[in-house]
Amino acid sequence: MKLRLARTHHPVTTLGPGRRIGIWVQGCGIGCPGCVARDTWVAEPRHDVEVADVLAWCARHIGDAAGVTITGGEPSEQPAALAELVHGLHALNDDWDVLCYTGVEFDEFERRCPEALTGIDALITGPFRITEPTDLVWRGSANQRLIPCSERGEQRYRRWALAERDRPELQLQVGDERVWMIGIPGRGDLARLQRVLRDQGIELEGVSWRP
Ligand code: SF4
């Protein structure tokens, strides 16, 4: 089974509790105005990888990850691959929790991905709405809900459902001529980031939050 994958990263500390594995799927047809991940919208076969290969990479981080965060892109557009991935993650390490972002509401996610949902511990649901800023932790807009979906999800996520962020929540990963931003930027964070980099002589081109 192939997954259309944008990228993976470890450790991720800004999308869920603790040090985590991050998996970004490729492809999103929702198109929220103001989305900061426009680079993950287009779904093309060149992004296809075997789910087994993603799981093998995740297995390298057993012992140094509290859980796995799946985001994108829109995970619910790949229901079969998502189901294989989340159940494979629990088979690798039954102590991991799986947190999944989706731009659709819970009922629609359940309709699209019933099999995957049985392996997901918590969902963050709903489209990003640029007109509804929020300080809720791990969320980009106030309409988005954090929903525990399992007993482990209840234990680990219930207390975060209404919690606010108490510190900046952006990680930067610097690669060859690319800077990946990991996390949910607060209002004004992106302009601030561009200013700070410009002051150091670094000009960002082709940023993922502008058409
Ligand atoms: S915020 Fe998420 S759901 Fe909305 S367009 Fe961006 S990737 Fe898609």
Side-chain angles (χ1 to χ4, degrees):
M1 174 67 61
K2 289 191 188 298
L3 175 73
R4 211 149 269 184
L5 179 75
R7 59 188 178 273
T8 55
H9 186 70
H10 173 273
V12 169
T13 57
T14 53
L15 295 171
R19 287 166 67 85
R20 308 180 66 80
I21 291 168
I23 299 173
W24 285 258
V25 302
Q26 183 72 29
C28 178
I30 297 176
C32 309
C35 169
V36 295
R38 297 176 65 96
D39 56 314
T40 64
W41 284 10
V42 177
E44 291 173 339
R46 69 190 168 92
H47 296 286
D48 289 357
V49 298
E50 292 292 337
V51 171
D53 291 339
V54 179
L55 291 170
W57 178 83
C58 292
R60 290 166 32 192
H61 302 293
I62 290 176
D64 190 25
V68 181
T69 298
I70 302 170
T71 182
E74 176 50 45
S76 73
E77 292 179 5
Q78 305 186 57
L82 183 64
E84 185 171 319
L85 177 65
V86 298
H87 291 293
L89 288 169
H90 286 302
L92 279 178
N93 181 359
D94 199 35
D95 193 48
W96 278 341
D97 70 75
V98 175
L99 170 66
C100 183
Y101 280 78
T102 176
V104 300
E105 302 298 346
F106 182 88
D107 289 353
E108 175 63 11
F109 187 89
E110 187 177 35
R111 191 189 65 75
R112 292 184 186 190
C113 302
E115 198 187 336
L117 190 54
T118 62
I120 290 172
D121 297 291
L123 270 178
I124 292 181
T125 63
F128 170 66
R129 292 199 186 127
I130 197 167
T131 53
E132 298 182 35
T134 186
D135 279 327
L136 287 170
V137 69
W138 307 320
R139 276 153 284 179
S141 56
N143 61 297
Q144 293 176 325
R145 296 173 61 209
L146 169 55
I147 304 174
C149 306
S150 69
E151 202 178 314
R152 175 176 21 222
E154 282 289 342
Q155 288 165 5
R156 296 192 189 176
Y157 286 88
R158 177 58 67 193
R159 72 193 179 97
W160 298 108
L162 296 174
E164 296 193 349
R165 66 183 103 197
D166 58 6
R167 60 191 167 87
E169 291 188 355
L170 278 184
Q171 277 175 270
L172 291 182
Q173 182 201 355
V174 181
D176 288 347
E177 303 199 341
R178 287 203 131 182
V179 178
W180 296 112
M181 183 182 65
I182 302 172
I184 310 286
R187 186 153 279 206
D189 281 354
L190 298 178
R192 236 180 338 266
L193 172 65
Q194 277 191 290
R195 262 200 318 276
V196 168
L197 291 175
R198 191 174 296 134
D199 288 349
Q200 297 179 29
I202 300 167
E203 198 67 47
L204 293 181
E205 293 176 357
V207 294
S208 64
W209 56 87
R210 278 201 295 270

